[in-house]
Amino acid sequence: MKKRIGLIACVGNYKKLSLFSTVEEMNQTVREYKDAIKLAVKRSDVQARLISLLELLKRHSCKYIGVSFMCKNTIADKLAVSYKTIQRLMKKLEALGMIKQYEMKRHTNMNQTANAIVILPLKEEMTDKNIHLEAKKCPTKTTTPSLKQNIINKRNNVPVSQNKVVKSFSKANFIAHWVPERFADLTSCYYNESQTIQELWKVVKQCNRVVNYATSERAFTPQQELNIGIRAFKEFVMKVKDNKKMQNKFGYFNGIVNNLMDKLYFDQDFLESF
């Protein structure tokens, strides 16, 4: 007998399934998973397909961070493989503990629709948190000063002038060196926080997907990537000025960059102009 589907495909459920608080947290997890795949999977062709699938899921998981809902036929078309291959790759990622699929149904007619595919956080992070909590519950009794107490005492003995310097460092708001100057100059006209500017550039970097995993070659050169990032941000600004509704500005910007890259990848005039 077929299992009853209980989850309805709606914004509320997609938000509940999201296990990440930021896009960068999800990106870092995917980077760790890529390394794990290279160690766990021996066949290079399967490695490449698993990594390509994980990259595709990540790029379409920015609106509800870590949650995508593309149907398997669409995924198969984008990766140029068969539907059965996508099924096998999904099962492999699930077996590795990297994703989980949830069957969904439409709220209109209650018929089955595309699964929600959730990227799972790293298990190591959860383990570290549990250990940390247990350590707080069971402090050891000792008559000699602990290492933690010695560190606290040393911090308390720091001169007042040095404390002022440390506090001034916390107010620093420099943009990281890996963000191109032209992109930083443009985005800083609209955003003051360096973290926001850096996240926007990370969106551009992650959208410029790898087309050859053997050589790490990407779809666009750094100069082309920068040009696309600037054009995409200008379009993003115009959407903001038009009061376009955005649940997540990074997710919305991700969509603009993706669409622009898909269009320009086949534009020979653009590719030859850099």
Side-chain angles (χ1 to χ4, degrees):
M1 188 175 180
K2 192 173 180 180
K3 184 181 176 183
R4 181 175 177 272
I5 301 172
L7 289 176
I8 295 175
C10 62
V11 173
N13 281 333
Y14 289 139
K15 286 183 177 179
K16 288 177 183 177
L17 291 173
S18 177
L19 301 174
F20 296 98
S21 54
T22 64
V23 173
E24 175 53 28
E25 186 182 345
M26 176 186 68
N27 291 342
Q28 180 58 37
T29 296
V30 171
R31 284 193 286 269
E32 295 284 345
Y33 283 161
K34 287 180 187 176
D35 294 335
I37 288 170
K38 291 174 183 177
L39 294 174
V41 181
K42 293 181 180 179
R43 285 180 52 179
S44 59
D45 59 330
V46 178
Q47 276 185 25
R49 285 179 175 177
L50 286 170
I51 291 173
S52 297
L53 174 57
L54 201 55
E55 274 287 335
L56 183 66
L57 294 176
K58 180 191 74 173
R59 291 201 307 272
H60 288 79
S61 300
C62 292
K63 186 174 183 180
Y64 310 106
I65 305 175
V67 182
S68 59
F69 39 88
M70 281 188 297
C71 67
K72 290 185 176 65
N73 281 324
T74 301
I75 296 173
D77 289 341
K78 287 182 177 290
L79 295 182
V81 296
S82 68
Y83 177 86
K84 291 289 185 182
T85 299
I86 293 300
Q87 281 187 314
R88 288 195 295 270
L89 293 175
M90 287 286 190
K91 287 180 180 178
K92 183 64 177 177
L93 289 179
E94 281 190 299
L96 292 170
M98 297 177 182
I99 66 167
K100 186 171 182 179
Q101 298 185 77
Y102 292 88
E103 291 185 334
M104 310 292 284
K105 60 184 178 182
R106 298 184 185 91
H107 66 88
T108 53
N109 54 16
M110 295 300 164
N111 289 337
Q112 186 172 2
T113 186
N115 290 350
I117 305 167
V118 180
I119 299 174
L120 302 175
L122 291 165
K123 292 180 180 178
E124 290 78 3
E125 291 178 358
M126 301 303 294
T127 304
D128 291 343
K129 290 176 184 177
N130 293 335
I131 292 172
H132 184 63
L133 290 172
E134 289 173 4
K136 284 186 176 180
K137 291 178 181 178
C138 305
T140 55
K141 294 182 179 180
T142 177
T143 55
T144 58
S146 65
L147 177 61
K148 185 176 180 180
Q149 288 172 331
N150 289 334
I151 293 172
I152 292 172
N153 291 335
K154 288 179 180 179
R155 285 177 180 170
N156 291 336
N157 292 331
V158 174
V160 175
S161 59
Q162 189 172 339
N163 280 331
K164 289 181 179 179
V165 172
V166 172
K167 287 180 181 178
S168 67
F169 282 170
S170 66
K171 296 178 182 178
N173 193 34
F174 300 116
I175 299 172
H177 68 279
W178 40 263
V179 179
E181 189 175 347
R182 282 182 60 198
F183 187 84
D185 288 343
L186 175 62
T187 51
S188 61
C189 296
Y190 302 90
Y191 293 104
N192 296 323
E193 291 293 326
S194 60
Q195 185 66 29
T196 302
I197 296 171
Q198 288 162 195
E199 285 293 328
L200 288 168
W201 180 247
K202 285 176 184 177
V203 169
V204 179
K205 293 293 292 183
Q206 76 177 24
C207 288
N208 187 10
R209 52 189 175 275
V210 177
V211 293
N212 187 335
Y213 286 97
T215 61
S216 297
E217 180 187 356
R218 293 185 177 271
F220 298 96
T221 66
Q223 192 62 33
Q224 292 168 345
E225 180 183 75
L226 173 59
N227 184 274
I228 291 171
I230 291 172
R231 288 171 63 172
F233 185 74
K234 288 178 179 178
E235 183 178 339
F236 174 76
V237 170
M238 295 305 296
K239 295 295 184 183
V240 174
K241 287 183 176 180
D242 290 340
N243 295 319
K244 189 75 174 178
K245 290 184 179 180
M246 300 179 189
Q247 292 183 345
N248 182 313
K249 62 175 175 284
F250 299 114
Y252 194 89
F253 182 61
N254 181 85
I256 294 175
V257 177
N258 254 330
N259 291 337
L260 195 55
M261 285 190 173
D262 287 343
K263 177 183 176 182
L264 294 176
Y265 186 70
F266 300 100
D267 189 333
Q268 201 61 36
D269 291 336
F270 172 80
L271 296 175
E272 291 177 354
S273 62
F274 293 95

